[in-house]
Amino acid sequence: MSRTATPLLLCLLLGACTPTGRAPVAETRTPPMPTATLPETVGKVADASRAEHEVALDAAAASGPAPRQRTLETLTRMAEPKRLPAPPRPAPLSPPPAVDRERYQAIDANPVHQVATAPVSTFSIDVDTGSWSNLRRFLNQGRLPPANAVRVEECINYFPYDDAPPTGRTPFAVHTELAPAPWNAERLLLRVALKGQDMAKQTLPPANLVFLVDVSGSMQSANKLPLLKSALKLLVQQLRAQDRIALVTYAGAAGVALPSTAGSDKAAILAAIDALQAGGSTAGASGIELAYQTAQAGFVQGGINRILLATDGDFNVGQTNFEQLKARVEQLRTTGVQLTTLGFGTGNTNEQLMEQMADAGNGAYAYIDTLMEGHKVLVNEMSSTLATIAKDVKIQVEFNPAAVSEYRLIGYENRLLRREDFNNDKVDAGEIGAGHSVTALYELTPAGQRGLIDPLRYGSDPRPGAATVARSAELAHVRLRYKQPHGNTSELVEHPVRRDAERALTAASDSFRFATAIAGFGQILRGGTYTGQWSIADARALAGGALGADRFGYRGEALRLMDLAAALSPQPPQATAPLE
């Protein structure tokens, strides 16, 4: 800025020039600055600023002390560095929401069948219990389980029942009961129950066990590998000197962490379990192959030969196709080695894979959500978990059209068999462990009652016709086929159900009423298609009156879970009182 322009600037700032004394200011053009380095340019600007500062003060001094003071304050403010507003603080980074990749098999509830057109029902028994403990995990987390996570038969069979054990050479006893359905007074419930012969742990045959443990990165959380290790230690404490155990692990690859070791060498076994650490991807198929090779190498003729696969089911390396994995396990079961699966954890649980692999491997599936559940499966029920007393067990029920017009099997949707499969010994079915309780429930429409399906206008006459008087007194005829644990030829058991076997629901056994309450509860969680207005509160009331001895407290816990489910269920809108 030139010295001529400086007094004019001061006049404008101080108001010293009168409006009539303004003179036109000629436009000046500042010549371009020559190229210079940054320090030189900064120095020149600083010198020019000091010179203009002194000229402005001299001009203000000539006008008196007050203008000089105001000029000094103004220049001081202009010289102060600009204070820019502080940038906003970034919001704290929150962890990304967990991706729920849990997988369940899609299940459609069994439909209603007319006895006139489909009088025979055939299915494989199921002793899996994983659905109930998984359901419990959801409720304890404060949410209702997905409908497909609820398999009603597994919920029913989670609980032991006080049915009489077998007395003859057949390894299980057959019991039937008949009483009205609590959710529909026009329907009956038929309970078909099997009670397996129990065996004390000390009398079990020698065991050749292989722990197949998933140590992939997905198993790091506390409810996976750490819980798994604690649960396996419980089983180790039950092993005898004649038992042997090996430890196979898999992550990116499979390996033997502990060769076959006598059950008496608990220190070595526990040390190998303690050394397990999670990391890497999940090559489950290679682990299964190595586990079967290890089990076959230590095979005990006439003994227990079993793999216990403990995983969250997240197979993501190597063979990951569900059907091919299942088919491979079906091939390997011909070696005489059985496969039990133990599910752990949340978020990426592949329950369909574990449940179906256990079925294919002639074993059972359990879900371990707490150490107490690990104790139930591996200690309290060790005999039934390890020892098989009957294999390929099938049930076939033929209904008398003179007594029953419709029926519906509750649960067992993925265990249905064709009628011709019953007598075919090459068709695989379920296994019963020592002391196992198995219950199946049918909902029936008695003849003469209004059913869910309209009768055919041109259908055949469902009346018994030439049936004998003895057979016309029957409601249904139950047949079972099973094989001895090491046999290949099935044996037949038959059990008729009489029409006069019906009892009032209040007169039915605790086992009948409690199983019915759990069946109703499970159906409600799946949507309640066939339970009408019957509620969780109704199921709880029925179960509460049928607790029985409840030795381990499982039934009492069921009541608390029903309370949780009722609190978490959507409530119907409340009617509002009219305004006065």
Side-chain angles (χ1 to χ4, degrees):
M1 182 180 294
S2 65
R3 290 182 178 269
T4 305
T6 300
L8 294 174
L9 174 62
L10 289 173
C11 290
L12 292 172
L13 289 172
L14 300 174
C17 296
T18 61
T20 57
R22 292 178 181 169
V25 179
E27 181 182 358
T28 60
R29 295 182 182 273
T30 305
M33 292 180 63
T35 304
T37 63
L38 181 60
E40 292 173 348
T41 303
V42 172
K44 291 180 179 179
V45 171
D47 291 342
S49 297
R50 282 194 295 271
E52 292 175 355
H53 184 77
E54 292 171 357
V55 170
L57 289 177
D58 290 343
S63 302
R68 175 182 174 86
Q69 181 62 31
R70 289 196 298 270
T71 302
L72 180 61
E73 293 172 353
T74 301
L75 292 174
T76 300
R77 287 195 302 270
M78 294 173 63
E80 289 178 351
K82 299 284 186 180
R83 293 187 178 181
L84 298 176
R89 293 184 179 181
L93 295 177
S94 58
V99 178
D100 193 342
R101 297 191 293 115
E102 297 192 10
R103 282 153 285 178
Y104 301 94
Q105 181 181 9
I107 297 175
D108 293 325
N110 287 325
V112 175
H113 294 281
Q114 284 190 308
V115 176
T117 57
V120 178
S121 170
T122 308
F123 65 98
S124 164
I125 63 100
D126 185 7
V127 296
D128 294 345
T129 61
S131 182
W132 178 265
S133 47
N134 189 36
L135 175 157
R136 176 178 59 205
R137 184 256 300 185
F138 275 104
L139 294 176
N140 283 328
Q141 289 178 343
R143 53 183 177 147
L144 294 172
N148 286 330
V150 182
R151 291 185 296 279
V152 179
E153 74 280 3
E154 292 187 23
C155 296
I156 296 172
N157 291 325
Y158 178 88
F159 302 91
Y161 295 98
D162 298 325
D163 298 305
T167 55
R169 62 176 296 275
T170 304
F172 53 85
V174 182
H175 302 277
T176 57
E177 284 186 272
L178 190 66
W183 46 81
N184 190 328
E186 296 180 348
R187 305 285 185 270
L188 295 176
L189 286 181
L190 170 64
R191 176 177 180 246
V192 179
L194 310 183
K195 182 66 174 182
Q197 181 182 18
D198 207 352
M199 300 175 65
K201 297 174 186 177
Q202 295 77 12
T203 64
L204 292 176
N208 163 41
L209 305 179
V210 177
F211 285 166
L212 175 55
V213 181
D214 182 353
V215 292
S216 63
S218 66
M219 294 290 290
Q220 289 180 345
S221 58
N223 60 0
K224 294 188 179 181
L225 185 59
L227 176 58
L228 186 161
K229 291 162 67 173
S230 297
L232 293 185
K233 290 178 182 179
L234 296 177
L235 178 58
V236 171
Q237 298 299 337
Q238 307 299 312
L239 297 178
R240 306 159 300 176
Q242 62 265 40
D243 301 325
R244 300 191 67 84
I245 188 167
L247 186 62
V248 174
T249 62
Y250 66 93
V256 177
L258 177 74
S260 184
T261 303
S264 56
D265 193 358
K266 292 180 172 50
I269 301 171
L270 295 175
I273 293 174
D274 281 331
L276 298 177
Q277 294 183 344
S281 51
T282 317
S286 60
I288 291 172
E289 295 286 348
L290 182 56
Y292 272 96
Q293 294 171 15
T294 305
Q296 291 170 44
F299 192 87
V300 177
Q301 194 67 38
I304 297 170
N305 298 278
R306 187 176 295 274
I307 297 168
L308 293 101
L309 167 59
T311 177
D312 62 0
D314 187 26
F315 291 9
N316 53 32
V317 171
Q319 178 55 264
T320 60
N321 180 272
F322 169 73
E323 293 298 336
Q324 292 179 1
L325 281 168
K326 181 180 174 181
R328 181 56 179 154
V329 172
E330 288 175 346
Q331 292 175 343
L332 291 170
R333 76 182 177 211
T334 60
T335 63
V337 177
Q338 297 174 313
L339 174 67
T340 289
T341 58
L342 306 175
F344 288 83
T346 65
N348 59 348
T349 302
N350 190 341
E351 198 193 48
Q352 177 185 9
L353 176 65
M354 290 184 286
E355 192 250 349
Q356 292 292 297
M357 283 181 59
D359 294 346
N362 284 349
Y365 160 64
Y367 178 81
I368 310 297
D369 59 330
T370 64
L371 191 57
M372 286 298 294
E373 183 65 18
H375 189 271
K376 174 183 184 290
V377 173
L378 300 176
V379 178
N380 290 345
E381 300 174 358
M382 177 182 175
S383 296
S384 54
T385 298
L386 299 182
T388 298
I389 60 170
K391 68 178 183 180
D392 291 341
V393 183
K394 307 168 188 174
I395 297 179
Q396 187 171 79
V397 182
E398 179 184 352
F399 294 99
N400 182 355
V404 180
S405 63
E406 295 174 343
Y407 68 88
R408 176 176 68 90
L409 176 61
I410 299 175
Y412 294 92
E413 284 86 359
N414 60 1
R415 297 292 189 133
L416 300 179
L417 298 174
R418 296 172 299 183
R419 184 174 178 178
E420 60 268 27
D421 292 338
F422 182 72
N423 292 321
N424 187 348
D425 284 350
K426 292 186 177 180
V427 175
D428 182 61
E431 281 63 45
I432 296 180
H436 259 149
S437 296
V438 183
T439 287
L441 289 172
Y442 281 94
E443 183 177 345
L444 313 177
T445 301
Q449 294 284 0
R450 178 178 175 81
L452 293 177
I453 302 175
D454 292 331
L456 295 174
R457 180 178 179 87
Y458 306 107
S460 59
D461 188 345
R463 289 177 297 182
T468 65
V469 174
R471 290 186 179 180
S472 65
E474 294 178 2
L475 180 90
H477 192 72
V478 179
R479 302 180 184 90
L480 297 101
R481 281 200 173 275
Y482 73 97
K483 298 174 186 172
Q484 295 291 340
H486 305 291
N488 295 314
T489 303
S490 68
E491 301 180 43
L492 177 66
V493 176
E494 297 185 273
H495 186 94
V497 182
R498 292 184 56 84
R499 298 175 69 170
D500 58 7
E502 180 184 349
R503 297 290 182 269
L505 184 59
T506 54
S509 68
D510 287 341
S511 295
F512 183 99
R513 287 182 287 123
F514 189 83
T516 298
I518 296 299
F521 177 54
Q523 290 179 91
I524 291 172
L525 291 180
R526 287 190 49 79
T529 302
Y530 296 102
T531 52
Q533 299 303 311
W534 210 62
S535 67
I536 294 176
D538 295 322
R540 190 197 189 283
L542 182 59
L547 294 180
D550 198 19
R551 178 182 172 190
F552 299 105
Y554 303 148
R555 296 188 183 187
E557 182 190 49
L559 300 184
R560 294 187 288 275
L561 292 178
M562 290 180 184
D563 290 338
L564 271 179
L568 294 170
S569 297
Q571 300 298 316
Q574 300 294 322
T576 56
L579 296 176
E580 296 182 359

